[in-house]
Amino acid sequence: MLIKRQRELLELIQSEPVIAIQDLTDRLGVSSATVRRDLSALSAQGLIQRVRGGAMMVDPLGVEPTWIERGRREVARKRQIAQAACDMIEDGQVVALDVGTTTLEIAKLLARRSNLTVFTASLMAAEVLARGRPTVFLVGGRVRIQEMSLIGPLAREVVGHFHYDVFLLGAAGWSVEQGLTDFSMDDVDVKHALIEASKQVVAVVDSSKYGMTSLTAITAIDDVDLIITDDGLDPTLRPQIEELTRLQIAPAQGAEGRLA
C-alpha cells in the first residue's frame, strides 16, 4: 500500500514524460534521499521506471507509445548511438536497418554514404535513405500504420531471399534478464527473419530503455553480437552485459567511446 507522500509522488510523475529528482524534492518539500527511497519503492512495484537523475511512468506491456511520443524521447542519446553505429559500417556492406526512432537517426547518417546497400522494412527510413546516396531496398508486405513498417508473410519472404553483413536491430526494452523486447508481434516476426539472415546483429538501444519490458521477446542478449548504447547506462550494469555480449558505449559529442 502506498503512503500519502508516495501517492503524491506518483501523481507528479504521471504529469510529465520524465521528471527529475530535484523537481520532485522541490515540489514535495522533502530531501532527495527521501525521494530516492520512495522512487525505489515505486519501481519495485513496477509502477515507475527509474532513469538517470529522475523517473518516468512505465507503459503497460501491450501499449505502444505513438511515434511522435517516442521520437521526442532521448533524442541526443539516439544520435550518439546512431553515429557510433554508422562509424562501424564499412563501404560495400549490405546493411539491414530495423524500424524505429533510433534507426531513423541512423538512416539520416547512412543517407550520406555511397557504396552501401541498405534493406529496410521502415517506410520512414526508406524515404530518408532514398534521398541520399546508398542503394535502397524496401521489403514488401502489409503496412503497419503505428510504426509505418512493412510486416507479414511477404515481408518475411523477401527478407529471406537475401543475406546481410549487419542487421542494426532496435527494441522497445532490454535487460539482462528479459533480453530485447518489442511491442508488435508482427514487427518481431520480421526482426527474427533479419536476425537469421545476417552475419552480425548489432542492437542499437538507448539507456533509458534498460529494465523496460514490452509484450514480445525478440532475442536474448547473448544472441546479439554487439550492443551499442549511450553513456547514461548505469556503470554497475556493464559487467553483467559484458559477460553475455560485446558492449559499446556511444560517446557524447566530443568524447571517445568504449568497446568491451
Side-chain angles (χ1 to χ4, degrees), residues 75-81 83-84 87 230-231 249-257:
V75 175
R77 290 178 176 178
K78 290 172 182 176
R79 288 174 178 168
Q80 285 178 238
I81 294 167
Q83 186 61 66
D87 288 346
D230 58 86
D231 53 7
I249 304 300
Q253 190 171 3
E256 293 185 358

Side-chain angles (χ1 to χ4, degrees), residues 80-198:
Q80 285 178 238
I81 294 167
Q83 186 61 66
C86 288
D87 288 346
M88 65 166 288
I89 300 300
E90 301 176 5
D91 287 347
Q93 286 192 317
V94 178
V95 179
L97 185 63
D98 204 358
V99 300
T101 54
T102 301
T103 50
L104 184 60
E105 294 298 329
I106 296 174
K108 294 173 185 177
L109 297 177
L110 290 182
R112 306 173 189 173
R113 301 273 299 272
S114 56
N115 196 23
L116 283 180
T117 301
V118 184
F119 284 76
T120 187
S122 167
L123 292 170
M124 290 186 173
E127 181 183 7
V128 169
L129 290 162
R131 294 198 298 264
R133 299 175 180 177
T135 300
V136 184
F137 288 87
L138 184 62
V139 304
R142 178 169 63 85
V143 176
R144 191 171 85 87
I145 299 298
Q146 296 94 322
E147 191 74 10
M148 293 302 288
S149 58
L150 294 167
I151 58 173
L154 179 58
R156 295 196 302 272
E157 181 181 353
V158 172
V159 164
H161 283 306
F162 300 93
H163 302 282
Y164 314 96
D165 290 299
V166 59
F167 174 34
L168 299 174
L169 166 68
W174 64 295
S175 68
V176 167
E177 297 79 12
Q178 300 298 327
L180 295 128
T181 61
D182 212 341
F183 295 103
S184 166
M185 291 181 281
D186 292 321
D187 280 331
V188 168
D189 279 346
V190 178
K191 295 176 195 284
H192 285 163
L194 287 165
I195 289 171
E196 292 174 5
S198 299

